[in-house]
Amino acid sequence: MSGPDDAPRGGNQGPGEAEGSRTSDTELSKRLEQLNTSLGQVRSKTEAAVPKGRDTSASSGAALAFRLGAEFVSGVLVGALIGYGLDRLFSIAPWGMIVFTLFGFAAGVTNMLRASGEGRNRGKTGT
């Protein structure tokens, strides 16, 4: 007959687990501690890099909108003024003003794209 002392040692070991699994548990806990310390270092670096202050996302959006508007209007105005000057100088009215206003429009759109950051990624993608 078998008694309680005849039960296999290890109690909670499942199939395929050996008694050497205790060493792997300690290795895993050491690796977990190392991971926690390295994560703590990375988190402290990212928290230090982010400036703590008031949220300026709304004000920076308004500033960007004013800047984009100014870029566009200035491009059109400069083009129109150059065209007007050429019209007066060479007596070719209204052709200089028409052509250079269109050039100013194109320059204004290009400056808006550059200011908004959309022009940076052109040509880098496969499309």
Side-chain angles (χ1 to χ4, degrees):
M1 297 195 135
S2 66
D5 292 333
D6 294 340
R9 299 278 179 197
N12 290 338
Q13 288 182 353
E17 291 185 7
E19 287 185 29
S21 67
R22 291 285 181 207
T23 58
S24 66
D25 288 344
T26 57
E27 290 174 12
L28 287 175
S29 63
K30 286 180 185 178
R31 287 175 54 190
L32 182 62
E33 289 175 17
Q34 290 174 351
L35 179 64
N36 283 333
T37 56
S38 63
L39 279 175
Q41 291 172 354
V42 170
R43 285 181 182 152
S44 65
K45 288 180 184 177
T46 56
E47 288 174 359
V50 175
K52 293 184 179 180
R54 64 185 182 105
D55 185 21
T56 60
S57 61
S59 63
S60 66
L64 181 63
F66 283 120
R67 181 177 174 199
L68 293 178
E71 294 280 347
F72 180 71
V73 170
S74 65
V76 173
L77 284 178
V78 167
L81 287 175
I82 291 172
Y84 179 76
L86 289 175
D87 282 345
R88 298 282 293 185
L89 185 64
F90 295 115
S91 299
I92 56 171
W95 296 108
M97 191 163 182
I98 292 171
V99 169
F100 278 91
T101 302
L102 291 176
F103 282 150
F105 180 81
V109 170
T110 303
N111 286 338
M112 280 178 46
L113 288 175
R114 284 185 190 156
S116 69
E118 293 295 323
R120 292 185 197 144
N121 297 331
R122 285 197 109 163
K124 292 184 180 180
T125 59
T127 58

